[in-house]
Amino acid sequence: MMMRVQLLAYTPEPERTVAAAAKLCYSPVGIEAVREGLDEASTARFVDMLAEIGHESPIEHASFTFGIEGVSRSLLAQITRHRIASFSVQSQRYVRKDDFDFITPPAIAEDAETDALYREAMAACGHFYEALADRLKRQHTERLVAGGMEEKEAARKAEKMAIEDARYVLPNACDTRMVMTINARSLFNFFSHRCCNRAQWEIRALADAMLRLVLEVAPHLFKSAGPPCLRGSCPEGKMSCGEMDAVRAKYRAMREDV
């Protein structure tokens, strides 16, 4: 299954909004006048100044909302560690996952025999999930009907109860989808951690896709976003990937493509 990422919504004129917030900090003018004179050039200068002096709080006034599909529950466990963000995630308690899609790591997909073994494991998980869900639904329905509930209502309630427990056999590879909203400052931090070569491959691919999208609408705001080695030396010490030149070339090319 292929990852799909969309920029669903964002603060109108995000860079001008950030610049106005920053200007207010240093100007005696009132709210009504703070946006005056903020044309494209002056907005870019304000945003660049913020990066140079490390004044990051005005950046929080811009936020971005992404629609994310075709990612694994394993990725979900990682991305929700970024706590200054809001997530709405497809629920395995309410959505039945018969014939679920799954994400295949590249190292598995590149070898036919390994890929076949992986698909066999996914099929087994799916088989046991469906068998457990069906069995639990019958048991819950019978119990609820015996307690006096109308059969149609009992079956509806039993379905939710059944998949709530059957989901325990679903693998980390099982696909999920989510909506994620995050402010620009936290998003910059997200890119610093997840665009790095040492990040896990799936969330790194997601971070790259998200960075491409925001560069299209706020290029000055995110012009230095990415792994820390874009802005100086690698902070990973002996754990460094040792490929800083290649990494810098990659993100330079990404910006040139926007």
Side-chain angles (χ1 to χ4, degrees):
M1 188 175 187
M2 294 292 294
M3 179 186 296
R4 294 181 295 277
V5 188
Q6 301 177 62
L7 182 57
L8 300 179
Y10 56 91
T11 301
E13 298 183 286
E15 294 184 334
R16 192 174 181 216
T17 298
V18 169
K23 182 179 176 182
L24 182 67
C25 297
Y26 304 104
S27 173
V29 303
I31 297 295
E32 295 78 7
V34 76
R35 287 168 64 91
E36 292 180 3
L38 285 177
D39 57 16
E40 185 175 348
S42 60
T43 293
R45 285 196 299 271
F46 258 106
V47 172
D48 290 344
M49 179 195 71
L50 294 177
E52 290 171 4
I53 66 176
H55 187 188
E56 298 181 340
S57 61
I59 300 172
E60 296 177 15
H61 294 291
S63 64
F64 300 82
T65 298
F66 301 89
I68 302 168
E69 296 182 286
V71 295
S72 69
R73 299 290 290 198
S74 179
L75 180 141
L76 177 63
Q78 296 180 78
I79 201 169
T80 51
R81 294 173 186 164
H82 295 271
R83 297 168 189 164
I84 307 179
S86 300
F87 300 92
S88 296
V89 182
Q90 184 186 64
S91 174
Q92 291 182 347
R93 295 180 65 201
Y94 293 93
V95 178
R96 183 152 174 157
K97 299 294 287 185
D98 290 347
D99 298 318
F100 64 86
D101 289 316
F102 54 88
I103 284 65
T104 303
I108 290 177
E110 68 187 15
D111 179 77
E113 291 186 6
T114 305
D115 186 61
L117 182 62
Y118 184 78
R119 291 178 179 276
E120 184 180 343
M122 295 300 105
C125 289
H127 167 75
F128 288 114
Y129 172 80
E130 293 175 26
L132 283 166
D134 290 342
R135 183 179 180 87
L136 287 166
K137 182 177 179 178
R138 287 195 302 271
Q139 293 172 343
H140 289 312
T141 300
E142 291 172 0
R143 179 177 56 80
L144 292 169
V145 169
M149 186 176 291
E150 191 271 331
E151 186 169 356
K152 185 176 181 179
E153 175 64 16
R156 185 194 64 78
K157 187 172 183 178
E159 169 78 5
K160 188 260 181 182
M161 297 167 67
I163 63 176
E164 183 171 318
D165 288 338
R167 65 181 171 147
Y168 278 78
V169 300
L170 291 173
N172 273 338
C174 183
D175 77 300
T176 192
R177 49 181 58 93
M178 71 188 81
V179 171
M180 174 186 180
T181 299
I182 185 169
N183 73 56
R185 186 181 188 182
S186 295
L187 187 54
F188 199 99
N189 176 265
F190 173 78
F191 292 143
S192 290
H193 288 283
R194 303 304 185 173
C195 290
C196 175
N197 266 5
R198 294 196 63 239
Q200 187 261 353
W201 68 268
E202 187 182 13
I203 200 167
R204 186 171 68 247
L206 174 61
D208 283 349
M210 293 166 65
L211 179 54
R212 288 188 186 94
L213 290 171
V214 297
L215 281 171
E216 293 178 0
V217 298
H220 290 285
L221 197 55
F222 293 102
K223 74 174 186 178
S224 64
C229 62
L230 299 186
R231 302 177 292 278
S233 60
C234 175
E236 297 292 334
K238 65 180 181 180
M239 301 297 289
S240 172
C241 71
E243 300 176 1
M244 288 181 289
D245 289 342
V247 171
R248 289 165 180 163
K250 169 187 171 180
Y251 288 96
R252 183 167 58 249
M254 182 187 294
R255 283 162 172 77
E256 292 171 352
D257 288 341
V258 173

